Amino acid sequence: MKKIGIIGGTSPESTLYYYKKYIEISREKFEPYFFPELIIYSINFRDFKDNPDGWEGRKRILINAAKALEKAGAEVIGISANTPHIVFPEIKKEVTAEMVSIIDAVAGEAKRRNLKRLLLLGTKTTMTMPFYKNALEEKGFEVIVPREEEIEEINRIIFEELMFENFRSKGWLIELIERYAKSENIEGVILGCTELPLAIKREDVSVEVLDSAEIHMRALIDAAL
């Protein structure tokens, strides 16, 4: 198998979830005690989040991490977060290793489940910038995003609660999803921030749940085969 590299630290909690899913999926797919080789490069999230150069500075951090993983022998690389995929095409150009997109992985899984009308949840950047929504719409999906005040609250929950293992707003998130299931007839919800699956599980809501972290980890393992 090819060696897998993950750019983690965005945030450490979601990176830990990635590793948990790596173990679960490996146990499901392979014989006992077999786990693909895996390298994690955990960036400093404060330097990333508060970078004075904005997305140009964040892009440099991600490129350096991808190159470090490649130098360490990684042949398949993924970024363990959705929002940084705003600069995914530029990072992909800087390495020869295969870069696996979380957006493509989510789209592939939604297609496999025959889902068309989807609610996109994530950080404010993921929900309001066109990179994620447009990529899905180009693949034939109908994408619904929450209202402005809901976007602000979801973003706050991610950065102030979920990144610190605080799940007190889980009920609010479930109510939001169920409200859109009724008002917008969504068929599924994209947990388009890798912290959201820490709080929302498949059994919590009445629609299909697209756990971007699990889907992405599965795609990375499949790409390494």
Side-chain angles (χ1 to χ4, degrees):
M1 285 188 70
K2 295 176 181 177
K3 191 177 292 185
I4 301 168
I6 292 177
I7 301 173
T10 56
S11 67
E13 289 300 331
S14 64
T15 306
L16 181 64
Y17 184 75
Y18 260 74
Y19 195 78
K20 181 182 178 182
K21 289 299 173 183
Y22 154 79
I23 294 169
E24 291 177 2
I25 295 165
S26 295
R27 286 174 173 165
E28 169 198 318
K29 293 180 75 70
F30 307 119
E31 64 270 21
Y33 311 117
F34 183 92
F35 297 92
E37 291 185 77
L38 175 70
I39 309 165
I40 298 175
Y41 186 114
S42 189
I43 66 171
N44 185 323
F45 188 57
R46 188 197 65 181
D47 293 347
F48 182 83
K49 179 178 177 292
D50 300 329
N51 197 283
D53 296 325
W55 278 106
E56 277 302 311
R58 296 180 192 120
K59 182 174 70 176
R60 287 196 298 270
I61 290 172
L62 295 170
I63 288 171
N64 288 339
K67 287 183 174 179
L69 286 169
E70 188 171 51
K71 189 175 181 180
E75 300 162 278
V76 175
I77 299 173
I79 306 169
S80 65
N82 288 266
T83 303
H85 280 68
I86 195 169
V87 291
F88 182 86
E90 293 96 313
I91 300 163
K92 186 176 181 179
K93 291 176 183 175
E94 296 294 325
V95 292
T96 56
E98 179 183 357
M99 293 285 297
V100 178
S101 162
I102 199 169
I103 302 174
D104 289 345
V106 167
E109 179 62 15
K111 184 177 181 180
R112 188 187 71 80
R113 298 192 204 178
N114 200 30
L115 304 175
K116 294 285 288 184
R117 192 167 174 81
L118 305 169
L119 174 66
L120 173 61
L121 303 184
T123 65
K124 183 177 181 178
T125 301
T126 295
M127 290 185 284
T128 59
M129 297 293 283
F131 75 101
Y132 210 111
K133 189 172 185 284
N134 286 1
L136 292 171
E137 288 176 340
E138 287 171 5
K139 295 177 185 294
F141 298 100
E142 296 178 61
V143 182
I144 309 300
V145 295
R147 295 191 294 269
E148 185 177 352
E149 66 273 14
E150 294 168 337
I151 287 172
E152 295 292 342
E153 180 61 6
I154 294 164
N155 195 70
R156 185 199 67 76
I157 290 168
I158 290 167
F159 283 99
E160 296 182 12
E161 297 180 20
L162 299 184
M163 286 188 179
F164 300 96
E165 291 188 282
N166 183 330
F167 307 128
R168 67 171 177 261
S169 295
K170 174 173 178 167
W172 185 89
L173 291 168
I174 291 171
E175 288 175 8
L176 174 85
I177 295 166
E178 292 299 338
R179 188 160 64 249
Y180 276 88
K182 292 178 181 178
S183 65
E184 296 289 343
N185 296 315
I186 61 165
E187 299 170 312
V189 56
I190 300 171
L191 302 182
C193 172
T194 51
E195 277 76 34
L196 286 169
L198 302 176
I200 304 300
K201 309 300 180 186
R202 293 180 180 89
E203 62 270 17
D204 290 330
V205 294
S206 60
V207 296
E208 290 279 331
V209 172
L210 292 163
D211 176 342
S212 61
E214 180 177 358
I215 292 166
H216 194 209
M217 190 68 250
R218 191 174 294 277
L220 284 163
I221 290 174
D222 286 345
L225 287 170

